[in-house]
Amino acid sequence: MQLVQRLVQKGLLTEADSARVTELAASLPDRPIHEILIDRGFVKEEAVLTALAEEFGLELVDLSQMKIDSQTLASMPQRLVHRRNLMPLARDNGTLVVATGNPFDVTSLDELQTLTGLHIHPVLASPREIARQIKLHFGVGGDTVTALVQERGEEEVELLEGIEADDSELAKEAQEASVVRLVNQILIEAANERASDIHIEPQEKSLIIRYRIDGLLQTQILPPEIVRFQAAIISRIKIMSRLNIAERRLPQDGRIKMKVQGREIDVRVSIIPMIHGEGVVMRLLDKGRMVFDLANVGMLPDIYTTFKKLIDLPHGIVLVTGPTGSGKSTTLYSALNEIKDETLKIITVEDPVEYQQPGISQIQVHSKIGLTFAAALRSILRHDPDVILIGEMRDLETAEAAIQASLTGHLVFSTLHTNDAPSAFTRMIDMGVEPFLVGSTVEGVMAQRLVRTICPNCKEAFEIPVVDLPSDFPVEDRSQPTITLWRGAGCRSCRQTGFRGRTGIHELMVTGDAIREMVVQRVNAAAIRREALKNGMITLRQDGWRKVLMGITTVDEVARVTAGDIVM
């Protein structure tokens, strides 16, 4: 308890909290005192580790800033590394420098010394950073899958639906404890890293696993022998998704409902046969992390005010456009929650229903049995809705049904795949909808993209030469040599990327009389765009530059997602 007293003396822990920590330590005899302090949020990790280093006379190191010797790693007993959470850093003249997150665990250091025959020189580091470095250097799954099974604790992934497996050899292999544990590890790692997708890609002599984090794919380091488990891993995922494990020639789609470390997550699974085996993409829908609130989607006050007026209209069509993964569904769900009220009946038609929303009636499309978007729309009008959300306007039949719903006094929300807001009109006309119907029913179009936001933990100001900025970047005085902007330096919490999380940039076009007339005349999207800009529309790129000046994102990030969107 000397550590607790040291923190009290430094003014980092109150006497009242000290008593609570003492009680917790007594009830959790197997947990080191410093882990209780950190995990329960009594004191920040950096402060606890600093005091702990002073207590034991150890050097405190930041592993994220250290270069770890690969030859040292290659000669290490990997099972001990995983079991005891020890990270070897360097080896010199018979001495092995090892990072530990628990200096109370002397037994592990003694065991390492016995196994290696080297003198152990311990240094202190963050336990979470040690675990991350072990995964980075040794791979998710450790030295062998079997060793990981024997050494890990209790099950951390709970399936919320029963699974069925036959007695075939393939099914038995997929249900082995080692394979189950490895697939669980892949899912846990993805959930902890806030990944939106997991890509499992078979190569000729290897297996690649990549996580999409904040919109960009990041390759995970894996032990090379994982390729031996390729068929079993994919079979296990098929069993969890309730798919046919014997079918390897045709694409299959499934769904997994599970809890990862107490968080409920829906996983949409797509499996497609490829040259070297079946490729798998899993879309993770983390219900616990999703907040459907227009204040959280990144709209600036002027755009929010205009969009709020659109979604409060009694009838008409409001469209949200953008490529796959640009946050369209999130914006529409947030809009529904904004207007949701006991006096309104809201019905959605989706494929699939991604997030279940209380107070909203949601319909799942089943094309195979004839329940298409258009068929569902025709039926739900008899349910007397006030607001209708159509997951996607894919074809003429769906578009015409949406227009009929808006003409009969309903407010309709939907999405379209177009690059900008003005192109939505020409896209609907290309589908075959009459221009006068498009012009009279579409009240507004919101185009959006997602940009990565600067990590708040390592955000720093810097001077950038004005000549290095894009020509359309809004600088008051181009003659000044530099301006001050912000960037992320890179830290543990953002995996050294400088970014953590994403926000939206928006282009909102309200359909005025002039634009309605242009739509009826079948004027092209470029002319409609010029008219909208004349009426004050802010483009995606311009909205991005505003967020750069506010310190939310960076110039490079906005330029990456809005390439080709420079205003003429």
Side-chain angles (χ1 to χ4, degrees):
M1 303 305 290
Q2 291 176 352
L3 175 64
V4 174
Q5 292 306 315
R6 187 181 287 270
L7 290 169
V8 172
Q9 289 166 9
K10 288 186 170 190
L12 297 170
L13 191 68
T14 65
E15 290 289 354
D17 283 343
S18 169
R20 289 173 58 202
V21 171
T22 306
E23 287 177 20
L24 279 169
S27 64
L28 300 167
D30 295 332
R31 292 293 302 280
I33 191 75
H34 67 287
E35 288 187 8
I36 294 173
L37 285 162
I38 295 167
D39 292 348
R40 298 302 174 96
F42 287 105
V43 186
K44 286 189 176 179
E45 183 182 56
E46 288 79 3
V48 173
L49 293 177
T50 301
L52 196 61
E54 293 171 1
E55 188 74 35
F56 281 86
L58 297 175
E59 180 189 356
L60 179 61
V61 298
D62 183 355
L63 294 186
S64 65
Q65 302 298 322
M66 295 189 70
K67 185 177 170 79
I68 297 171
D69 181 36
S70 57
Q71 290 185 336
T72 303
L73 296 177
S75 61
M76 282 298 299
Q78 293 182 24
R79 292 177 64 173
L80 186 61
V81 167
H82 280 271
R83 190 168 72 243
R84 301 298 190 187
N85 212 35
L86 298 173
M87 187 68 199
L89 303 180
R91 179 177 173 176
D92 184 34
N93 292 330
T95 298
L96 183 67
V97 180
V98 176
T100 177
N102 182 13
F104 298 101
D105 186 12
V106 182
T107 308
S108 297
L109 298 171
D110 290 343
E111 188 179 350
L112 184 59
Q113 183 160 307
T114 303
L115 287 171
T116 60
L118 300 169
H119 172 68
I120 303 300
H121 176 69
V123 295
L124 188 63
S126 159
R128 281 179 289 187
E129 188 60 35
I130 291 174
R132 181 174 289 175
Q133 291 294 332
I134 288 172
K135 284 173 184 167
L136 178 64
H137 291 283
F138 292 102
V140 176
D143 58 331
T144 65
V145 178
T146 307
L148 190 64
V149 174
Q150 294 167 349
E151 292 156 12
R152 294 291 295 183
E154 61 186 57
E155 195 77 20
E156 292 171 290
V157 173
E158 175 192 350
L159 294 177
L160 299 180
E161 292 182 335
I163 59 175
E164 298 173 5
D166 55 36
D167 293 327
S168 67
E169 196 63 36
L170 197 62
K172 288 176 182 175
E173 189 180 337
Q175 294 297 80
E176 285 182 8
S178 57
V179 177
V180 170
R181 176 63 67 186
L182 181 55
V183 172
N184 286 354
Q185 275 296 102
I186 292 167
L187 292 167
I188 291 165
E189 179 76 359
N192 288 343
E193 293 295 340
R194 303 173 297 107
S196 60
D197 301 85
I198 304 170
H199 293 241
I200 300 177
E201 302 165 331
Q203 306 296 311
E204 186 175 6
K205 294 180 181 177
S206 64
L207 185 68
I208 294 175
I209 296 181
R210 298 195 286 174
Y211 296 156
R212 190 176 293 281
I213 301 171
D214 292 337
L216 297 182
L217 285 170
Q218 298 184 15
T219 302
Q220 299 304 298
I221 306 296
L222 297 168
E225 57 267 32
I226 197 173
V227 72
R228 303 205 324 259
F229 301 95
Q230 176 179 317
I233 289 168
I234 292 170
S235 295
R236 170 62 184 168
I237 292 168
K238 284 182 178 179
I239 290 170
M240 294 171 76
S241 314
R242 304 168 75 87
L243 299 176
N244 180 2
I245 64 170
E247 179 55 76
R248 296 183 176 184
R249 301 164 302 166
L250 295 172
Q252 295 189 73
D253 292 321
R255 194 168 188 167
I256 304 170
K257 288 187 176 181
M258 64 183 190
K259 271 190 179 178
V260 173
Q261 296 171 340
R263 297 206 315 272
E264 195 171 319
I265 296 177
D266 266 7
V267 184
R268 282 160 47 190
V269 180
S270 175
I271 299 177
I272 298 179
M274 297 186 180
I275 294 174
H276 301 297
E278 292 173 289
V280 181
V281 175
M282 294 186 276
R283 166 67 59 88
L284 275 63
L285 305 171
D286 191 339
K287 296 181 178 180
R289 284 200 170 128
M290 288 305 297
V291 179
F292 296 110
D293 182 353
L294 279 181
N296 290 330
V297 299
M299 289 185 202
L300 294 179
D302 55 343
I303 290 179
Y304 170 80
T305 302
T306 308
F307 189 66
K308 183 72 168 65
K309 289 177 182 175
L310 284 175
I311 65 177
D312 284 336
L313 290 172
H315 54 78
I317 297 175
V318 177
L319 297 173
V320 178
T321 77
T324 303
S326 59
K328 301 187 297 294
S329 297
T330 302
T331 297
L332 287 177
Y333 275 133
S334 300
L336 291 182
N337 277 328
E338 186 89 3
I339 63 174
K340 186 168 66 176
D341 185 84
E342 289 182 0
T343 62
L344 288 179
K345 170 92 169 188
I346 301 174
I347 301 181
T348 74
V349 188
E350 304 168 66
D351 183 20
V353 174
E354 293 185 351
Y355 296 98
Q356 296 177 24
Q357 297 291 299
I360 296 174
S361 304
Q362 294 173 276
I363 299 170
Q364 168 84 49
V365 168
H366 288 288
S367 300
K368 289 180 182 176
I369 60 170
L371 184 58
T372 61
F373 279 113
L377 266 172
R378 285 193 294 270
S379 298
I380 64 176
L381 289 179
R382 302 188 195 104
H383 272 241
D384 188 29
D386 298 290
V387 180
I388 300 167
L389 166 64
I390 305 167
E392 187 183 339
M393 216 173 273
R394 295 178 178 173
D395 49 40
L396 174 60
E397 194 180 11
T398 307
E400 286 181 334
I403 283 172
Q404 286 305 316
S406 72
L407 289 172
T408 51
H410 303 88
L411 180 61
V412 180
F413 294 145
S414 190
T415 67
L416 266 180
H417 289 291
T418 63
N419 289 328
D420 59 9
S423 300
F425 294 111
T426 51
R427 176 80 184 89
M428 289 183 72
I429 292 169
D430 288 344
M431 282 181 185
V433 182
E434 289 294 337
F436 74 91
L437 288 174
V438 176
S440 60
T441 55
V442 177
E443 299 293 339
V445 185
M446 167 85 82
Q448 72 175 57
R449 299 287 189 280
L450 292 177
V451 293
R452 293 182 293 169
T453 52
I454 298 170
C455 173
N457 294 326
C458 59
K459 183 176 177 179
E460 63 178 21
F462 74 106
E463 295 292 318
I464 182 171
V466 171
V467 293
D468 291 346
L469 293 169
S471 59
D472 62 325
F473 190 87
V475 180
E476 289 184 11
D477 183 7
R478 281 266 165 189
S479 64
Q480 61 183 321
T482 64
I483 66 166
T484 303
L485 294 177
W486 289 265
R487 65 186 174 195
C491 65
R492 291 178 195 164
S493 63
C494 64
R495 293 169 60 118
Q496 306 301 323
T497 62
F499 297 97
R500 185 169 175 83
R502 290 188 290 175
T503 191
I505 56 173
H506 304 91
E507 175 179 288
L508 179 57
M509 184 183 69
V510 178
T511 313
D513 292 338
I515 289 176
R516 291 188 200 279
E517 183 60 33
M518 294 172 84
V519 172
V520 172
Q521 299 298 326
R522 294 179 181 263
V523 174
N524 63 37
I528 295 174
R529 182 181 180 81
R530 286 193 293 271
E531 178 65 26
L533 289 170
K534 194 166 73 176
N535 294 337
M537 181 183 81
I538 294 169
T539 68
L540 285 166
R541 197 169 171 96
Q542 289 169 339
D543 193 46
W545 296 148
R546 295 198 295 175
K547 289 183 168 71
V548 170
L549 292 169
M550 294 168 70
I552 295 170
T553 188
T554 65
V555 171
D556 289 344
E557 188 64 12
V558 172
R560 178 178 69 85
V561 300
T562 62
D565 186 39
I566 299 174
V567 180
M568 300 301 179

